[in-house]
Amino acid sequence: MNKIFKTLFSYVVILVGAVLASFSVACILLPNDAVDYGTAGIAIIISKLTNMELSLCVPLVFLPFLIAGFFTLGRKFSVKALIGSVGYTVGIAVFEDISFELNTEHFLAVVFGGAILGLGLSLILRFGGCIDGSEILANIILKKISDNTGKNYSMTYILIAFNAVVYGAVFILIDRNAALMSLLVYVVATAIIDHFTDHFEAIKQVTIITQKPDAIVKAIKKEMNKTCTIIESRGAIAGKNYTLICYVNYFELQKLRDVISQYKGTFSTVSTIEEILR
């Protein structure tokens, strides 16, 4: 029952985050000539160039990434991503028809909108969801690299490159002022996200203390195709045990939590790693 409650609670929080994000985009950012980043930014560009409803463009752009995420990140992630996407799309459709105006300068409105957007996305990411396909794409690329080389890298540079392309398209196809305002949105939103999610773009080190390491290592290898470093250790009360160290990215972290939760008597911590030296 406790697990069911936690799952339902996470769905509710993801929906709240999606509504906040859609409100920010439809009622604050777009009226002030700013564009969201990631795949939502691509949807906005398509909407502006074709006069299609933004609420139609968003799912069309995000759907291929969602399908790819199902095969890469698993069913649980895909369900949460779908819930977030539906909430965001419905929110856009509703807020597009609502007249809302901030009696302030464009600059302040964009900063305020970026902060609300960052808060909404933080709630979504914090509870294992996603409404941006660029993060799924970055995760797929990193997974391919990790599977082929055994090395873990941060998704920061992939996301920066993706959004640079989006803002370049805004600059060329829409307006240079819109591109600059949109860049401000990105800076403010990512600052809020980093504050609440502890640098979700960085690598995560998961330290697991257990007396039965073989089963956990086998499960991690089977479920995630990841390996662990095993260190013999000793607890003051429990006596001899083993410390497992595993490196994952933010979107793999929830899946690793699910694997670890199957084994009682483990103690785990998560740390943010800015860089791994080779």
Side-chain angles (χ1 to χ4, degrees), residues 56-131:
L56 294 178
C57 294
V58 167
L60 287 177
V61 173
F62 185 68
L63 185 60
F65 295 93
L66 179 63
I67 294 172
F70 175 82
F71 294 103
T72 306
L73 299 173
R75 183 179 61 84
K76 287 186 177 180
F77 168 82
S78 299
V79 170
K80 291 182 177 181
L82 179 61
I83 290 172
S85 178
V86 170
Y88 181 76
T89 302
V90 173
I92 289 290
V94 171
F95 292 128
E96 276 184 319
D97 296 328
I98 293 178
S99 178
F100 181 86
E101 183 177 354
L102 287 177
N103 294 320
T104 186
E105 296 179 359
H106 282 338
F107 178 82
L108 294 178
V110 169
V111 170
F112 182 62
I116 295 178
L117 176 64
L119 177 60
L121 295 178
S122 297
L123 292 175
I124 294 170
L125 291 168
R126 187 80 178 181
F127 286 85
C130 176
I131 59 172

Side-chain angles (χ1 to χ4, degrees), residues 224-237:
M224 305 181 64
N225 196 29
K226 295 282 184 179
T227 186
C228 299
T229 297
I230 305 176
I231 304 171
E232 290 189 5
S233 53
R234 183 175 181 83
I237 298 175

Side-chain angles (χ1 to χ4, degrees), residues 8 13 30 57 59-60 69 107 113 180 199 222 233:
L8 293 176
V13 175
L30 291 180
C57 294
L60 287 177
F107 178 82
L180 294 175
H199 302 284
K222 179 181 178 181
S233 53

Side-chain angles (χ1 to χ4, degrees), residues 3-272:
K3 188 175 181 180
I4 294 175
F5 174 79
K6 287 183 178 179
T7 301
L8 293 176
F9 180 74
S10 68
Y11 292 163
V12 171
V13 175
I14 288 171
L15 281 174
V16 171
V19 170
L20 284 174
S22 61
F23 169 77
S24 172
V25 171
C27 294
I28 302 178
L29 298 183
L30 291 180
N32 287 279
D33 301 322
V35 174
D36 194 2
Y37 59 92
T39 51
I42 295 175
I44 292 171
I45 293 172
I46 295 173
S47 176
K48 285 182 174 293
L49 294 178
T50 64
N51 292 321
M52 285 180 61
E53 294 288 336
L54 180 57
S55 55
L56 294 178
C57 294
V58 167
L60 287 177
V61 173
F62 185 68
L63 185 60
F65 295 93
L66 179 63
I67 294 172
F70 175 82
F71 294 103
T72 306
L73 299 173
R75 183 179 61 84
K76 287 186 177 180
F77 168 82
S78 299
V79 170
K80 291 182 177 181
L82 179 61
I83 290 172
S85 178
V86 170
Y88 181 76
T89 302
V90 173
I92 289 290
V94 171
F95 292 128
E96 276 184 319
D97 296 328
I98 293 178
S99 178
F100 181 86
E101 183 177 354
L102 287 177
N103 294 320
T104 186
E105 296 179 359
H106 282 338
F107 178 82
L108 294 178
V110 169
V111 170
F112 182 62
I116 295 178
L117 176 64
L119 177 60
L121 295 178
S122 297
L123 292 175
I124 294 170
L125 291 168
R126 187 80 178 181
F127 286 85
C130 176
I131 59 172
D132 185 9
S134 64
E135 292 154 3
I136 298 177
L137 176 63
N139 186 82
I140 293 172
I141 293 173
L142 292 177
K143 188 175 187 305
K144 291 292 184 181
I145 294 174
S146 178
D147 290 345
N148 292 330
T149 66
K151 298 180 180 180
N152 294 278
Y153 296 96
S154 170
M155 65 177 70
T156 300
Y157 299 111
I158 299 174
L159 294 179
I160 289 175
F162 188 97
N163 288 306
V165 173
V166 172
Y167 291 140
V170 174
F171 185 89
I172 296 171
L173 300 175
I174 299 178
D175 180 70
R176 65 180 64 183
N177 290 330
L180 294 175
M181 286 292 186
S182 303
L183 182 59
L184 178 62
V185 172
Y186 179 75
V187 172
V188 173
T190 52
I192 298 293
I193 293 171
D194 282 347
H195 177 74
F196 285 103
T197 61
D198 188 24
H199 302 284
F200 86 98
E201 297 173 352
I203 300 167
K204 302 297 177 180
Q205 175 182 298
V206 182
T207 303
I208 310 163
I209 299 176
T210 179
Q211 292 185 331
K212 299 179 179 179
D214 293 340
I216 297 178
V217 171
K218 185 177 180 180
I220 292 174
K221 178 64 176 177
K222 179 181 178 181
E223 298 291 332
M224 305 181 64
N225 196 29
K226 295 282 184 179
T227 186
C228 299
T229 297
I230 305 176
I231 304 171
E232 290 189 5
S233 53
R234 183 175 181 83
I237 298 175
K240 183 179 180 181
N241 53 39
Y242 295 87
T243 299
L244 311 180
I245 299 176
C246 185
Y247 296 97
V248 296
N249 64 46
Y250 192 88
F251 295 99
E252 294 171 323
L253 183 59
Q254 185 59 51
K255 194 169 185 178
L256 183 56
R257 285 194 182 107
D258 293 337
V259 172
I260 296 172
S261 67
Q262 300 173 23
Y263 300 91
K264 304 300 181 183
T266 61
F267 174 81
S268 305
T269 60
V270 180
S271 305
T272 297

